[in-house]
Amino acid sequence: MILALSRFTIASDGMIAPMRDAFAQRPHQVDQAAGFIRMEIVSPADMPREFWLLTWWNTAADFETWHHSHAFHDSHAGMPKGLKLVPKSTEIRVFDLIAQ
């Protein structure tokens, strides 16, 4: 099992609430992806413009397949209009699960 962490920071404090709402109402398209286990979306309490998407997968190949799919790109259609990210704030890391 692996954990994929997608991290980014939005540029405007005014987009925090719309971004949280978009995630709360997400279309759950990833839930049908092969190898997908679960997703959690968190934001550090001391940095509310930063968002972390934590997704658990059976294999790294399952994550890569999803990440490069049309469904992945389509899943971003519900993001708030006018959303801008802090340049170079986007990061994707894949972790091997050692123990639970």
Side-chain angles (χ1 to χ4, degrees), residues 23 26 30-31 36-41 53-56:
F23 280 127
R26 69 183 184 85
V30 68
D31 298 9
F36 175 79
I37 298 170
R38 75 177 192 268
M39 172 188 251
E40 295 175 7
I41 303 162
L53 283 69
L54 307 163
T55 54
W56 282 260

Side-chain angles (χ1 to χ4, degrees), residues 14-15 18-19 22 76-84:
M15 294 301 286
M19 193 69 190
H76 291 79
M79 291 295 103
K81 301 292 184 221
L83 177 68
K84 291 187 171 73

Side-chain angles (χ1 to χ4, degrees), residues 43-83:
S43 180
D46 62 339
M47 298 202 49
R49 289 187 295 123
E50 189 171 305
F51 290 83
W52 297 16
L53 283 69
L54 307 163
T55 54
W56 282 260
W57 299 85
N58 286 326
T59 68
D62 291 331
F63 169 71
E64 289 295 326
T65 298
W66 160 254
H67 188 70
H68 297 306
S69 72
H70 290 291
F72 169 81
H73 294 288
D74 293 347
S75 71
H76 291 79
M79 291 295 103
K81 301 292 184 221
L83 177 68

